[in-house]
Every structure is written in structure tokens, then in C-alpha cells.
Amino acid sequence: MILNITPESAAGGCTPDEAIINRLPAVRAETRVELYRRLLKGRAFLEANYAQTADLNATARVACLSPFHFLRLFKTAFGRTPHQYLTELRLAVARRQLLETKQSVGEIGLSLGFENVNSFGRLFRRHQGITPQCFRRLSVAG
């Protein structure tokens, strides 16, 4: 994704992207814009590979940043760590698949990169307040 944000417009802070850019800890506007572009590359990598095992090193490498720097900047820019972002993304896909497919809960969890069905169920319940099975039943009944 290529942004049409100039360093001058980044200093003004009108759009949501520009607001994020202005939160990044760099003195020069050009540097903040470049860091944001790199973070977007890392986020796109996470979105394209959400079903794989999360690897901070690989994601940071795609963004051309050190793992520590990527983690710190990602949280500053997007308000959550890459792992939290990936978890939310996986759970959103899981909700959609529970509603739209006949796949078993276990198949959905494993296809989304969760280590086992129990970890998927626990995480789903922690975030949704109900188990995946109940979510599916309630959505079919409602």
C-alpha cells in the first residue's frame, strides 16, 4: 500500500493516517512517514499470513525494522501489539467462518493457526464471552 502523504501534510494531522504518523517518535516528518509505511508493510504481512505461526522476527524483517523497534512502534501506531492485532484478526475470521461454513470448530481453529482446539476455544470465550459452539448456535437460532 503506497501512501500519498507528504511530510508537509503529515505535520498538519488531518486524516486518521496523519494522526497516527504524528504519534510516532521521530523528530523529522519524513522519518515518521517512512516509519508508518514500514509499519503498514508489517501489518499487511500479518494480514496475509494470519493462519501461520506468528513470528515477530519475520514480520519486523518485512518492515525493515528490528523486532524491538517494530513492536514498540506498532503498539504506538495501532494501539495494540502485533500479537494482539493478529489474535483479533484470527478471531474475526473465526466468527465469520462459524457463521458462513459448516466446518467444525476444531477445523476452524486449526486452520487459523491456533495450536490446538482448546486454546482456540479459551481465547474465543475470553474475547466473545461465549464458546465458539454457543456462538454458532445462537447465530443460527437468531
Side-chain angles (χ1 to χ4, degrees):
M1 172 182 188
I2 298 178
L3 296 174
N4 292 325
I5 299 173
T6 64
E8 295 77 28
S9 68
C14 304
T15 68
D17 283 338
E18 291 170 348
I20 293 170
I21 289 169
N22 286 331
R23 281 198 306 261
L24 296 176
V27 174
R28 296 179 56 219
E30 296 89 358
T31 305
R32 289 192 303 270
V33 170
E34 179 59 28
L35 288 172
Y36 185 61
R37 284 192 176 119
R38 291 179 185 197
L39 290 172
L40 289 177
K41 284 182 185 179
R43 188 173 73 176
F45 178 79
L46 289 173
E47 291 169 354
N49 298 289
Y50 65 85
Q52 312 302 319
T53 303
D55 183 3
L56 180 62
N57 291 329
T59 309
R61 202 171 19 256
V62 167
C64 299
L65 294 167
S66 73
F68 171 77
H69 203 55
F70 178 75
L71 179 66
R72 185 173 58 87
L73 289 173
F74 193 96
K75 183 161 180 156
T76 299
F78 304 118
R80 57 183 78 69
T81 66
H83 185 265
Q84 290 168 332
Y85 181 80
L86 187 61
T87 298
E88 291 172 11
L89 180 62
R90 286 175 174 170
L91 290 174
V93 173
R95 286 190 302 272
R96 190 179 71 240
Q97 288 184 357
L98 286 167
L99 297 174
E100 298 174 356
T101 70
K102 300 280 187 210
Q103 282 183 297
S104 73
V105 170
E107 289 172 334
I108 290 172
L110 294 175
S111 73
L112 294 176
F114 290 98
E115 301 234 351
N116 58 57
V117 179
N118 292 333
S119 66
F120 168 61
R122 268 193 315 274
L123 194 61
F124 192 93
R125 184 174 180 168
R126 188 178 318 138
H127 284 261
Q128 296 300 130
I130 57 175
T131 65
Q133 296 87 342
C134 288
F135 179 83
R136 179 177 266 168
R137 272 192 303 248
L138 290 173
S139 61
V140 170

